[in-house]
Amino acid sequence: MMNIVHISDTHGFHRKVKVPFGDLLIHSGDISNRGEQYQVEDFIDWFINQPHRYKIFIAGNHDKSFEYKGTWVSYAISKLPKKIHYLEDSEIVIDGIKFYGSPWQPEFFNWAFNLSRGQELKEKW
C-alpha cells in the first residue's frame, strides 16, 4: 500500500502549505504565478526537502518557463535528485504503479501549455 499526497496550484505559496506525510508527494501544476525563476527555484528547493520518499511534479498553465524550456529550467530539471520526477508527457513507475503527467490544457487566454481543442490536444491527452 502507498500513501499518496496530492497538492496543486500553490502559485509561489508552497511554503505556507501544511503537507501531510505520505510515501509519494505529487504537485500537479501551477507552482508559480507566471514561471518566475525565483519562485521555481524556491519551489524545487522546498520540494526536494519534503520528507516523502518519492516526489512527482507537473507544470501547469501558470508555469510558462517550463513550456519555453529556458536554460535555467532545463538545468534545474536535469539536476533533480533521483527520487524526484518532473513529468511532461511522460510516465514513471513507482512501486508497480504507473503515473503519467501532462501539462496541456484547452486554450485559455495566453497561459502556458495551451492547445486548441481538436486533434493536437487529443493526441497529447
Side-chain angles (χ1 to χ4, degrees), residues 9 20 44 63 71 73 82 113:
D9 297 276
I44 290 173
D63 302 317
T71 303
V73 169
K82 195 173 190 171
F113 297 102

Side-chain angles (χ1 to χ4, degrees), residues 21-84:
F21 182 76
D23 301 304
L24 169 64
L25 174 60
I26 301 173
H27 190 295
S28 61
D30 296 347
I31 64 176
S32 65
N33 287 321
R34 291 186 180 91
E36 299 91 331
Q37 183 172 353
Y38 77 94
Q39 285 184 345
V40 171
E41 288 174 345
D42 187 59
F43 169 82
I44 290 173
D45 176 65
W46 171 83
F47 202 61
I48 286 170
N49 289 297
Q50 294 303 301
H52 307 76
R53 184 173 175 200
Y54 302 104
K55 299 163 199 141
I56 294 171
F57 74 100
I58 304 145
N61 66 344
H62 283 254
D63 302 317
K64 285 187 172 229
S65 53
F66 283 83
E67 181 180 18
Y68 303 119
K69 298 289 184 298
T71 303
W72 65 268
V73 169
S74 296
Y75 178 78
I77 291 169
S78 74
K79 295 297 180 189
L80 291 173
K82 195 173 190 171
K83 300 282 183 167
I84 298 178

